[in-house]
């Protein structure tokens, strides 16, 4: 990977500082459901920091990613469970979460040493997209929600939809693409970094729009 790609990959992840600082400032004003998003941003910041330290020490950081996707999916599922509290789908979210946790742990234990499996990332992406589609369906079918552009859940769902729609494909084909062409593989991960930046922007917008009090109960 050339120096330009490496520099961009490094600085694209640094953008997480922006939603991190906003979440720190607004944390006390959030209710329990939205604090799950803040905790996800805090954990994302921590993983990026540790990942960069390990990278510069030339130590593999692959072990971080199974842990990260478990935390990421669990916290996002918690937010959507609160959003869907009056829908039947909310009853299945804890079951799906437990099954996903068991699957990722099993995949991690069975994988060869230092091998980064793409399947858990892809599976997480599909599950998150299903939750996002349920959210869109809820709003399109009820016509109760007005001014969606002012709703933090809308921007969170939109950011997740854009991010996982693209990256689920990247995750599942990444190893195959790497075998075909290293340059194309680098270009794909350059694209991944762009979507990573977009996700951080949507996280920031979501946190900024969270009101002081919401009626979510977990």
């Amino acid at each position: 990977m050339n120096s330009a790609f490496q520099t961009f990959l490094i600085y694209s992840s640094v953008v997480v500082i922006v939603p991190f600082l906003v979440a720190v400032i607004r944390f006390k004003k959030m209710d329990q459901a939205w604090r799950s998003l803040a905790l996800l941003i805090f954990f994302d910041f921590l993983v990026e920091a540790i990942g960069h330290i390990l990278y510069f020490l030339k130590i593999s950081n692959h072990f971080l990613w199974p842990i990260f996707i478990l935390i990421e999916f669990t916290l996002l599922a918690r937010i959507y469970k609160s959003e869907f509290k009056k829908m039947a789908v909310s009853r299945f979210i804890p079951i799906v979460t437990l099954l996903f946790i068991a699957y990722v742990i099993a995949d991690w234990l069975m994988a060869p040493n230092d091998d980064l499996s793409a399947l858990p990332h892809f599976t997480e992406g599909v599950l998150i997209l299903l939750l996002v589609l349920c959210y869109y369906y809820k709003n399109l079918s009820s016509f109760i929600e007005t001014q969606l552009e002012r709703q933090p859940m809308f921007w969170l769902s939109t950011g997740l939809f854009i991010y996982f729609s693209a990256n689920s494909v990247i995750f599942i084909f990444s190893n195959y693409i790497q075998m075909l062409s290293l340059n194309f593989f680098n270009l794909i991960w350059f694209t991944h970094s762009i979507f990573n930046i977009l996700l951080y922007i949507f996280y920031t917008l979501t946190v900024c729009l969270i009101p002081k009090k919401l009626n979510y109960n977990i």
Side-chain angles (χ1 to χ4, degrees), residues 7-218:
T7 301
F8 183 79
L9 290 176
I10 291 171
Y11 284 103
S12 66
S13 60
V14 173
V15 178
V16 72
I17 293 175
V18 178
F20 173 80
L21 293 176
V22 177
V24 168
I25 294 170
R26 296 184 58 86
F27 187 78
K28 291 184 178 180
K29 298 179 181 180
M30 299 179 186
D31 70 355
Q32 290 300 316
W34 282 115
R35 284 184 179 182
S36 295
L37 178 60
L39 292 174
L40 172 57
I41 294 170
F42 298 159
F43 188 71
D44 197 342
F45 176 82
L46 178 63
V47 168
E48 292 287 3
I50 295 174
H52 283 302
I53 292 171
L54 294 176
Y55 174 80
F56 286 113
L57 293 176
K58 300 187 183 302
I59 300 174
S60 174
N61 57 18
H62 287 179
F63 70 93
L64 292 171
W65 309 122
I67 299 172
F68 176 75
I69 64 174
L70 284 179
I71 300 297
E72 181 180 52
F73 181 78
T74 300
L75 292 174
L76 288 174
R78 192 182 186 205
I79 295 172
Y80 279 96
K81 182 179 183 301
S82 179
E83 177 68 20
F84 300 149
K85 59 186 176 182
K86 295 182 180 179
M87 300 172 62
V89 68
S90 67
R91 296 195 293 269
F92 295 99
I93 291 178
I95 300 173
V96 173
T97 302
L98 290 174
L99 291 174
F100 180 73
I101 291 173
Y103 162 67
V104 173
I105 293 174
D107 181 84
W108 187 15
L109 293 175
M110 291 187 295
N113 291 335
D114 201 37
D115 184 35
L116 187 61
S117 175
L119 285 175
H121 292 270
F122 175 76
T123 305
E124 181 201 19
V126 171
L127 293 174
I128 293 296
L129 287 173
L130 288 174
L131 291 174
V132 170
L133 291 175
C134 286
Y135 168 76
Y136 287 145
Y137 173 79
K138 172 192 171 187
N139 283 282
L140 289 173
S141 62
S142 64
F143 292 102
I144 295 176
E145 194 71 80
T146 58
Q147 295 182 311
L148 283 176
E149 72 279 2
R150 297 185 181 181
Q151 303 301 320
M153 197 69 194
F154 171 76
W155 291 108
L156 174 63
S157 297
T158 301
L160 294 173
F161 181 80
I162 294 172
Y163 178 81
F164 283 107
S165 292
N167 283 314
S168 293
V169 178
I170 291 175
F171 292 147
I172 199 64
F173 289 111
S174 58
N175 291 337
Y176 177 70
I177 293 171
Q178 187 175 16
M179 290 187 295
L180 289 179
S181 170
L182 184 58
N183 288 333
F184 188 48
F185 177 78
N186 291 338
L187 180 61
I188 290 296
W189 282 101
F190 178 85
T191 305
H192 163 74
S193 297
I194 293 176
F195 284 107
N196 217 35
I197 292 173
L198 285 175
L199 182 63
Y200 292 147
I201 292 173
F202 278 102
Y203 277 170
T204 304
L205 183 58
T206 300
V207 174
C208 288
L209 289 172
I210 294 172
K212 292 182 179 180
K213 292 182 180 181
L214 293 173
N215 294 322
Y216 292 138
N217 292 308
I218 297 179

